[in-house]
Amino acid sequence: MRRQVLFLISLVGYCAGFSGEMGFAADLRTNIVVIMADDLGYSDLGCYGGEINTPNLDRLAVNGMRYSQMYNTSKCSTTRSALLTGRYVTRTTFNENYIAGPTFGEVARSAGYRTLWSGKNHSKILPLQRGFDRFYGFQGGACSYWNPGSEMPNGGDFPNSSVHKWMIDGKWKKDFIPDDPNFYTTDAITNSAVDWLEEFETDDKPFLLYLAYTAPHWPLHAHQRDIDKYKGRYDAGYQVIQKQRYQRMGDKGLIDPQIAPMHPQNIAHWNALTADQRSLESARMEIHAAMVDNLDHNIGRVIESLDDQGKLNNTLILFFSDNGASSERLDQFLKTYDPSKGEQMGDVFSYECIGKQWAQVINCPLAKYKMTSHEGGVCTPMIAHWPDGITKKNAWHHHPLHVVDVMQTIVELSGASFPDRFGDRASKPLEGISIVPSFTQTPLAERKLPIGFDFSAGQGIRDGDWKLVKHGKGGWELYNMAVDRTETKDLASAMPDKVNHLANQFVLWEERCRRGVPERKKKKRK
């Protein structure tokens, strides 16, 4: 019934006919803002137990809903493919998956939405050719926040991982070296979004805005004013910060300690580190916190723009991350900073990562980290805010969701029809479910396909309360998520039949991911 009501509301808004001298009335369908963070820790946000200052996201949570089990693919590129298309992907199908059907931009635009994308792409598709009216951002996976180019504006060299193509003012730049001395990627992504919201303020069309931030993905770069807020905050070390977060998560109702004990991970003991090591580790986490703080500030700018225009109540905002915190440590890009030249960690000459120890802490209380299929790699916070549509504020939703569900949600709210064909081929069907029922505390539709995971060293499948997972060359592990949310009691040896059943389900899941997707072209040997 709720879906029928929403559809009728959308239909009335869409068909709100001619009104005499006023002409065609504005389309009253729900605006949609999809915000994706990058490598965010499960407990980083204040509203999820973190000590980082995130008042804007906390506001969305208090006036909206929080979700405790929002799944992804454990990696940037694969998660984006699943998100934009509404279909599960594997390590070998995520690029070709884009050819098998439309993006949510193409679907929303076909229904009359203005479609906007600012930020990271990390795929081979070009947004303006795949359903988006505007795009600002870059094609790669990571860049220097201060300067994405190959050299300094004055021609000097500086550390960077790689140079990606950027779209600036509707034109592609192969090597984007900002002239603005205050350029910072998170701020710039927001600048474009806010400019578009102002440009189309009086537009009759509803809009879909996709904000794909890079923060807090490495390199650790942040405004000094934001870093200063956290000076000394992490001197107590890994174990103390983890314990404090865990306590707050329980207080907020996110976890039940009886079924979600802290995962006993192998985190180095803080007091076993040298003084210099502790100082370096504290500084890394201070910058990570500053990046999350700045991300929240920028999301606040978007909220303010919507509020000023009177559109906030009729806008669904979804916030989540592409995967859990990263354990990566890119030694090839590190350098010894030269204080005599004014260099310090966090500025353009540095290229640091938080590393494995902090990643395990900030994914508290979940196991492991990015590029694994354990909960710390594939589960992130999610917030939904929609004053006109969410009936119970400040509530938790504890049933599993996945980024593939976003497309089905957009289809429902926009009134769009998912096409039977895409280009010269049949569209591969959507594989998610709509999350709209959760806004009114209504049970979600039954998920017809299990949630699968396959990237890098991690593989796994979740079917109902049961999860089968493995990492690297290790064997399958089996967990009952209803009573063991943090994967601490492996039941594989006690339940071999369940393991075999789920292992077969995983094989079928991988086959479905390949079905209807063009085969990956093999690289020719030179």
Side-chain angles (χ1 to χ4, degrees):
M1 179 60 72
R2 172 65 178 167
R3 295 187 181 190
Q4 293 173 343
V5 170
L6 281 167
F7 177 75
L8 289 173
I9 291 172
S10 297
L11 190 61
V12 169
Y14 186 68
C15 300
F18 292 91
S19 54
E21 296 180 359
M22 296 297 292
F24 188 72
D27 190 331
L28 300 179
R29 284 177 297 172
T30 306
N31 302 308
I32 302 168
V33 178
V34 177
I35 305 175
M36 178 179 277
D38 200 330
D39 291 9
L40 185 75
Y42 186 71
S43 59
D44 269 340
L45 306 182
C47 55
Y48 274 75
E51 68 292 326
I52 303 173
N53 187 37
T54 56
N56 296 294
L57 285 165
D58 296 351
R59 170 190 169 190
L60 294 184
V62 169
N63 293 297
M65 294 187 65
R66 278 168 283 185
Y67 297 77
S68 63
Q69 298 189 65
M70 177 55 163
Y71 284 106
N72 53 70
T73 72
S74 86
K75 184 66 168 64
C76 312
S77 52
T78 44
T79 291
R80 282 161 173 74
S81 177
L83 170 69
L84 281 160
T85 66
R87 292 184 297 273
Y88 297 114
V89 298
T90 71
R91 68 187 79 193
T92 62
T93 65
F94 67 94
N95 271 322
E96 289 71 21
N97 178 54
Y98 286 107
I99 305 172
T103 67
F104 63 53
E106 288 166 315
V107 168
R109 189 159 73 175
S110 74
Y113 273 63
R114 177 78 61 188
T115 51
L116 313 166
W117 178 350
S118 186
K120 173 175 172 175
N121 184 345
H122 208 184
S123 76
K124 294 180 180 179
I125 67 169
L126 299 176
L128 296 186
Q129 296 178 9
R130 294 303 305 269
F132 290 88
D133 299 325
R134 297 288 178 87
F135 174 67
Y136 171 89
F138 69 106
Q139 290 293 99
C143 66
S144 166
Y145 286 79
W146 299 116
N147 179 359
S150 61
E151 61 183 28
M152 297 292 285
N154 62 8
D157 294 331
F158 75 101
N160 64 84
S161 59
S162 55
V163 174
H164 303 292
K165 183 167 64 172
W166 276 70
M167 176 165 277
I168 309 294
D169 296 327
K171 296 181 180 179
W172 287 109
K173 291 181 177 289
K174 291 184 178 180
D175 192 0
F176 175 43
I177 304 171
D179 294 325
D180 181 0
N182 298 314
F183 179 90
Y184 183 72
T185 298
T186 310
D187 300 336
I189 290 170
T190 309
N191 292 343
S192 284
V194 172
D195 286 347
W196 292 334
L197 291 176
E198 293 176 354
E199 178 183 352
F200 298 117
E201 180 176 358
T202 60
D203 197 354
D204 288 335
K205 293 182 176 182
F207 65 82
L208 167 65
L209 170 61
Y210 174 34
L211 276 168
Y213 286 106
T214 54
H217 192 291
W218 50 260
L220 293 175
H221 286 166
H223 293 289
Q224 190 59 48
R225 63 176 182 268
D226 293 326
I227 299 174
D228 289 343
K229 298 177 187 177
Y230 298 93
K231 284 295 183 184
R233 181 64 183 84
Y234 298 98
D235 290 354
Y238 309 132
Q239 286 74 24
V240 171
I241 298 300
Q242 184 184 50
K243 183 177 180 180
Q244 291 173 345
R245 287 194 175 198
Y246 185 76
Q247 179 65 47
R248 286 191 294 267
M249 295 174 90
D251 294 343
K252 292 178 181 295
L254 171 57
I255 61 167
D256 177 352
Q258 296 300 313
I259 64 172
M262 183 82 73
H263 193 279
Q265 305 195 75
N266 186 24
I267 300 175
H269 199 283
W270 187 253
N271 292 331
L273 304 180
T274 67
D276 287 345
Q277 289 172 331
R278 291 195 297 270
S279 177
L280 179 61
E281 286 294 285
S282 293
R284 286 175 172 142
M285 190 58 201
E286 288 167 3
I287 301 173
H288 174 87
M291 295 172 77
V292 175
D293 186 305
N294 175 266
L295 172 66
D296 178 84
H297 167 74
N298 276 281
I299 292 171
R301 293 173 57 203
V302 175
I303 297 170
E304 182 180 16
S305 180
L306 292 170
D307 205 8
D308 288 345
Q309 294 180 22
K311 296 179 180 180
L312 185 61
N313 286 351
N314 190 38
T315 299
L316 169 63
I317 300 175
L318 296 177
F319 171 87
F320 46 87
S321 182
D322 60 352
N323 46 250
S326 170
S327 66
E328 295 160 291
R329 181 61 56 79
L330 304 180
D331 292 337
Q332 68 269 35
F333 299 123
L334 300 184
K335 63 167 289 184
T336 301
Y337 317 118
D338 188 346
S340 67
K341 296 181 180 179
E343 298 175 14
Q344 57 186 340
M345 190 190 302
D347 71 11
V348 69
F349 293 101
S350 69
Y351 218 95
E352 291 276 0
C353 315
I354 58 167
K356 184 177 180 179
Q357 309 302 320
W358 280 123
Q360 293 176 99
V361 171
I362 65 178
N363 281 334
C364 162
L366 307 180
K368 298 191 182 295
Y369 29 76
K370 175 183 176 181
M371 292 195 290
T372 77
S373 294
H374 287 77
E375 294 291 282
V378 297
C379 193
T380 77
M382 183 174 115
I383 299 169
H385 182 271
W386 182 21
D388 284 354
I390 294 177
T391 57
K392 185 178 179 181
K393 309 297 192 289
N394 199 22
W396 283 98
H397 184 92
H398 293 295
H399 296 284
L401 300 177
H402 192 279
V403 293
V404 296
D405 300 335
V406 174
M407 170 71 99
Q408 189 67 63
T409 303
I410 290 172
V411 167
E412 179 169 344
L413 291 179
S414 67
S417 297
F418 190 78
D420 294 329
R421 298 193 64 80
F422 181 71
D424 60 352
R425 61 193 305 123
S427 294
K428 187 173 181 180
L430 297 180
E431 295 176 336
I433 59 175
S434 171
I435 68 171
V436 170
S438 71
F439 302 152
T440 56
Q441 306 295 313
T442 304
L444 300 177
E446 183 179 353
R447 193 176 294 278
K448 296 179 180 180
L449 300 174
I451 296 172
F453 313 100
D454 176 29
F455 190 85
S456 187
Q459 294 179 309
I461 192 162
R462 170 131 187 209
D463 192 5
D465 290 333
W466 292 97
K467 183 180 178 185
L468 191 71
V469 62
K470 66 178 177 179
H471 184 70
K473 296 180 180 179
W476 286 114
E477 304 165 22
L478 177 67
Y479 300 102
N480 182 348
M481 304 301 286
V483 296
D484 184 18
R485 177 73 180 86
T486 49
E487 300 170 311
T488 60
K489 301 179 181 66
D490 181 6
L491 304 174
S493 60
M495 304 181 69
D497 291 343
K498 176 64 77 172
V499 171
N500 290 335
H501 170 72
L502 290 175
N504 288 333
Q505 287 287 91
F506 176 76
V507 172
L508 293 174
W509 176 84
E510 283 202 315
E511 290 177 354
R512 279 192 295 269
C513 288
R514 290 192 294 268
R515 198 177 304 150
V517 175
E519 290 188 12
R520 173 175 286 193
K521 295 181 180 179
K522 295 182 179 180
K523 294 182 179 180
K524 295 182 179 179
R525 293 183 179 180
K526 296 182 179 180

